[in-house]
Amino acid sequence: LVSILDFIKEINPDLGTSGELWKTITSVSKAGQKKGRMTTRQPIRPLNRFYRIGLSPMKVQFPGLNAPLTTKDPDIKIVDQSEDEIKEGQLSVRNILQEQKSGGKRRFREKLHPMERGFSGTQLVGQKLGAPAPVDGVSFDDFQSYCLEIKRTSNMTKVFGRVHTMAALVITGNGQGLAGYAVGKAPLHRTTTAIVNGMNMAARKLFYVDLLEGRTIYQDFYAECRNTRVFAQRRPHGFGLTCHPRLIKICEAIGIKDIYVKVEGSTKNYLALTHAFVTGLLNQESHQQLAERKGLHVVEMSPSRHFLPQVVASPVLTPLRGEDDIEDIDRLNLDDFYGEGRYPLRKPKPLPFYVDTPGHKEAVWRKHPFRNHEEVMIRLLADGVVPRWTRNERKRWSEERHEKMLAGIEQLPKGIGLSGVVVKPN
């Protein structure tokens, strides 16, 4: 009946319309719209595109529709259809389907460099999104934005039922310590809108992080949010970023180049992870602030300088305290200031499977007499006992030591003490 009305509408729009009939199927009352029944109704389907009255292997003539209306023979008749007419009908349907395939809009995806792709495939999560829009005449041309997470959230309401929305966690920064992050929301399946809203909100919530030498943090710190625990450690120049993939993007936005971060607990709650890491960065204090607070010199002993002490900050506004003013309760180790007594879990390296085998024990027994040779060699070279630890020098040194032992100048070495563990082979 619906297709008949569509056919009538094509012939003469004044005779009738199928809109009223479709309305009985697709319409929803106001109360139904509030309860979410709009999505369960069928859409209006253009039935007249694929089905024409009378076009089928069994051709039916409807007087007044596809056949002339006569008073002599007003009955509906079934007429045989020729092969050409059948092929023509099939070709028309096939052409309509091909037009739909070719005429549809295809999404053009730009091919990205492997280093510019996101966390997973061609997703926007992890890709560079550019600078946010200007705010009150302030431009962010030197900023770069990253999307850290896209998820669907739901809220159960009293009127509309369960309402789904898209949430996008976005961070933006200029790579010089100035950054901001926010969560943008949009209606369902509006991912791009959620990301744009997150970028605009992040541009309004900027914070500044003071960096040591413009590349790393001042001191190791511990921070937590919900069930996510973060242990951040300072690293020397050229170390790079060794941390969670989301934290790598955060460090790139802020401008951190050398850091090691260990994440414990929940590693998939990206909002808590971001909040914990940013909180730890903002709670830092520079060397000068530490010197003013404690009234002492801040001395750094780094392995790059062979652990030689170097004064990096001294109090200016606060009087310098002497040794008599320092109490026993004062903590002088920098790791005790900011770690809160917490350390990351370090699991011991598992022993290999062949530790208790007889062959391995015999090999250890054979190597045991030579366990200190390398250290002795380094010590002899450092003390100048031997100019070079060559084969001839080792032979000469062993002969001299043997003569001293025979003369009683040096004491004979004792046994190695493994004869009770492993039987000495014959």
Side-chain angles (χ1 to χ4, degrees):
L1 182 59
V2 173
S3 60
I4 293 175
L5 291 177
D6 288 335
F7 186 82
I8 294 173
K9 183 180 177 182
E10 287 186 357
I11 297 176
N12 190 354
D14 298 331
L15 295 178
T17 176
S18 61
E20 297 179 358
L21 188 59
W22 277 114
K23 188 176 180 180
T24 60
I25 303 175
T26 59
S27 62
V28 182
S29 62
K30 292 293 183 180
Q33 292 179 6
K34 293 181 180 180
K35 295 182 179 180
R37 294 175 183 167
M38 179 66 75
T39 57
T40 61
R41 291 297 181 265
Q42 294 184 2
I44 298 177
R45 304 180 187 277
L47 301 177
N48 57 326
R49 292 193 61 186
F50 297 99
Y51 181 74
R52 302 287 181 177
I53 297 177
L55 292 179
S56 65
M58 184 175 63
K59 187 175 181 180
V60 182
Q61 289 185 352
F62 296 92
L65 293 177
N66 60 346
L69 181 61
T70 59
T71 56
K72 296 181 180 179
D73 193 6
D75 298 334
I76 299 174
K77 293 183 179 181
I78 299 176
V79 183
D80 294 335
Q81 196 173 7
S82 63
E83 294 182 359
D84 296 337
E85 293 177 346
I86 295 174
K87 290 181 179 180
E88 184 180 356
Q90 294 176 353
L91 287 175
S92 62
V93 174
R94 190 177 301 172
N95 293 334
I96 292 173
L97 294 175
Q98 289 180 356
E99 289 177 1
Q100 287 184 350
K101 291 182 179 180
S102 61
K105 294 183 179 179
R106 296 184 60 184
R107 292 182 59 186
F108 176 73
R109 291 183 177 178
E110 183 182 358
K111 190 172 183 180
L112 299 175
H113 190 270
M115 298 298 293
E116 296 180 356
R117 294 173 187 166
F119 298 127
S120 176
T122 58
Q123 293 184 2
L124 289 175
V125 181
Q127 294 185 10
K128 293 182 179 180
L129 304 177
V135 178
D136 297 334
V138 180
S139 61
F140 303 93
D141 297 335
D142 56 342
F143 277 64
Q144 187 62 258
S145 304
Y146 301 93
C147 181
L148 303 180
E149 182 186 18
I150 297 175
K151 63 180 180 180
R152 188 184 73 169
T153 60
S154 61
N155 181 29
M156 195 67 183
T157 61
K158 181 179 179 181
V159 178
F160 299 101
R162 188 174 299 276
V163 179
H164 296 278
T165 56
M166 300 299 295
L169 176 60
V170 182
I171 184 168
T172 182
N174 62 350
Q176 298 177 1
L178 191 63
Y181 71 97
V183 178
K185 294 188 177 182
L188 190 62
H189 304 308
R190 300 290 182 87
T191 305
T192 307
T193 307
I195 294 175
V196 172
N197 294 339
M199 291 172 59
N200 297 334
M201 293 175 62
R204 293 177 172 86
K205 299 179 180 180
L206 298 179
F207 55 86
Y208 180 74
V209 178
D210 191 11
L211 301 177
L212 176 63
E213 301 176 0
R215 60 173 186 83
T216 186
I217 57 180
Y218 275 93
Q219 63 270 332
D220 303 348
F221 64 82
Y222 164 81
E224 63 181 4
C225 179
R226 295 183 178 270
N227 194 31
T228 303
R229 298 176 294 278
V230 175
F231 297 88
Q233 299 177 8
R234 186 178 65 178
R235 284 294 181 262
H237 179 72
F239 180 83
L241 301 175
T242 304
C243 50
H244 195 280
R246 264 68 180 182
L247 295 182
I248 290 178
K249 298 301 179 182
I250 296 175
C251 293
E252 290 178 358
I254 295 175
I256 301 175
K257 301 178 180 61
D258 306 301
I259 195 174
Y260 170 78
V261 183
K262 175 69 179 298
V263 181
E264 293 184 0
S266 177
T267 59
K268 293 186 178 181
N269 189 351
Y270 303 128
L271 182 59
L273 177 64
T274 304
H275 184 71
F277 185 66
V278 172
T279 302
L281 292 176
L282 295 178
N283 289 338
Q284 289 186 113
E285 60 179 354
S286 62
H287 296 325
Q288 187 62 36
Q289 293 174 350
L290 177 61
E292 297 291 347
R293 182 167 64 88
K294 300 295 292 184
L296 299 171
H297 296 290
V298 178
V299 181
E300 181 183 10
M301 293 181 289
S302 63
S304 61
R305 301 183 70 255
H306 303 286
F307 296 98
L308 296 175
Q310 179 185 10
V311 178
V312 295
S314 299
V316 177
L317 303 177
T318 307
L320 181 63
R321 294 194 297 171
E323 294 184 2
D324 299 336
D325 301 333
I326 299 177
E327 300 179 359
D328 296 337
I329 199 173
D330 286 341
R331 295 175 297 179
L332 302 180
N333 190 2
L334 194 64
D335 295 337
D336 298 337
F337 285 165
Y338 311 102
E340 299 182 9
R342 298 174 180 263
Y343 295 93
L345 177 62
R346 300 187 183 276
K347 297 182 180 180
K349 189 176 181 180
L351 298 176
F353 65 93
Y354 52 81
V355 171
D356 295 331
T357 57
H360 180 70
K361 291 182 178 180
E362 181 180 350
V364 172
W365 182 84
R366 290 181 179 276
K367 293 179 182 178
H368 191 79
F370 312 101
R371 62 190 182 278
N372 295 327
H373 275 201
E374 185 176 0
E375 296 180 1
V376 171
M377 177 187 68
I378 296 174
R379 175 54 59 188
L380 292 176
L381 290 172
D383 295 342
V385 178
V386 290
R388 289 184 60 193
W389 195 244
T390 59
R391 182 176 299 177
N392 295 332
E393 292 291 339
R394 291 198 299 268
K395 185 177 180 181
R396 184 183 61 81
W397 176 78
S398 61
E399 290 177 354
E400 291 179 359
R401 192 178 181 192
H402 180 66
E403 292 177 358
K404 291 180 180 179
M405 290 179 185
L406 293 179
I409 300 175
E410 290 187 7
Q411 188 178 2
L412 291 173
K414 297 182 179 180
I416 59 177
L418 285 180
S419 58
V421 179
V422 180
V423 180
K424 184 177 180 180
N426 297 328

